[in-house]
Amino acid sequence: MAIYTFSFFHLLLAILPLMVPHATANLEGDALFALRRAVKDPGLKLQSWDPTLVDPCTWFHVTCDSDNRITRLDLGNAKLSGRLVPELGKLERLQYLELYMNELVGPIPKELGNLKSLLSLDLYHNNLTGSIPSSLSKLSNLKFLRLNGNRLSGRIPRELTKLGSLKILDVSNNDLCGTIPTAGSFSKFTEESYMNNSRLEGPELMGFVRYDAGGSC
């Protein structure tokens, strides 16, 4: 019995490392398939997203690293309509989330703040509504944040000024309100980042709008 237990234990140790990548692939594949279920895809861009295939790295518009972890999702201008899903926040190694120029509606899931490896978040030119999640302030590696051309409302979260790596910010052409943050990384962004938000106010607009002007949030 002792020999059997010893052998089984060592067999389990040998198999376990082989099982973990498959479990991760299944988790990430499930996250992507949740997106597929939530959107309409008249251009059949997601036709290859087959949940019976264990490895989502074989799907079109998906890029993976050497560990078969998803690092890039390229679905810009793909004619997708529907909602973003919170499951996308499970893609821990995702660096590029490209969903621009579609017909996506509804809020930006706060779970996107869990994408700790994210470098670029491009959701511009959709029909997204609701506020900008303050949870995006957890994306410490984020360099590009483009949310322009949606119907986002509410204040620009002050927490986003903590994004020290942020190089490009564009929240223009929305319905944002309140004042424009100027601390931290936001000190280098010009008025072009905020244009065409009629209720957005603040001296940071270099005199074009008074600090006490515009609608309230």
Side-chain angles (χ1 to χ4, degrees):
M1 180 64 68
I3 295 175
Y4 173 80
T5 304
F6 178 82
S7 299
F8 177 77
F9 177 73
H10 281 76
L11 179 62
L12 185 62
L13 288 180
I15 293 176
L16 191 59
L18 300 176
M19 296 173 60
V20 171
H22 291 293
T24 302
N26 284 333
L27 179 66
E28 297 193 334
D30 289 346
L32 291 190
F33 196 68
L35 177 64
R36 180 183 175 180
R37 290 196 305 267
V39 300
K40 294 181 180 179
D41 176 29
L44 302 180
K45 300 292 186 181
L46 310 181
Q47 190 173 24
S48 68
W49 290 22
D50 184 348
T52 64
L53 300 176
V54 175
D55 186 3
C57 298
T58 63
W59 299 355
F60 290 162
H61 311 291
V62 175
T63 303
C64 295
D65 60 16
S66 58
D67 296 324
N68 284 346
R69 302 291 299 277
I70 297 171
T71 59
R72 188 171 185 124
L73 188 59
D74 287 295
L75 287 168
N77 199 20
K79 299 180 180 179
L80 302 178
S81 62
R83 293 175 175 263
L84 297 173
V85 293
E87 286 86 348
L88 289 174
K90 297 177 180 179
L91 305 176
E92 293 182 349
R93 293 198 193 176
L94 191 69
Q95 296 179 356
Y96 296 89
L97 181 54
E98 308 295 329
L99 285 164
Y100 55 86
M101 297 179 67
N102 284 292
E103 299 176 19
L104 299 172
V105 299
I108 299 173
K110 66 179 185 301
E111 288 81 4
L112 296 189
N114 296 330
L115 300 174
K116 58 186 179 182
S117 301
L118 202 65
L119 301 175
S120 180
L121 178 57
D122 283 323
L123 302 177
Y124 59 87
H125 294 312
N126 280 285
N127 290 301
L128 298 171
T129 55
S131 58
I132 300 173
S134 59
S135 61
L136 298 184
S137 64
K138 297 189 294 182
L139 304 176
S140 59
N141 295 307
L142 194 67
K143 295 183 178 180
F144 308 102
L145 177 58
R146 288 175 280 234
L147 306 176
N148 49 298
N150 283 287
R151 294 187 290 144
L152 298 171
S153 57
R155 298 181 183 273
I156 300 173
R158 294 303 186 271
E159 294 90 340
L160 297 184
T161 62
K162 300 175 184 177
L163 296 174
S165 299
L166 197 62
K167 297 182 181 299
I168 300 293
L169 170 72
D170 195 343
V171 294
S172 62
N173 296 288
N174 280 289
D175 187 31
L176 301 172
C177 59
T179 56
I180 298 171
T182 58
S185 59
F186 276 57
S187 62
K188 60 178 177 284
F189 300 130
T190 68
E191 63 180 272
E192 293 183 358
S193 295
Y194 313 101
M195 289 177 61
N196 297 323
N197 285 281
S198 60
R199 297 193 297 142
L200 202 57
E201 53 193 49
E204 296 83 356
L205 288 178
M206 298 186 297
F208 287 101
V209 178
R210 299 193 320 274
Y211 180 77
D212 58 349
S216 60
C217 278

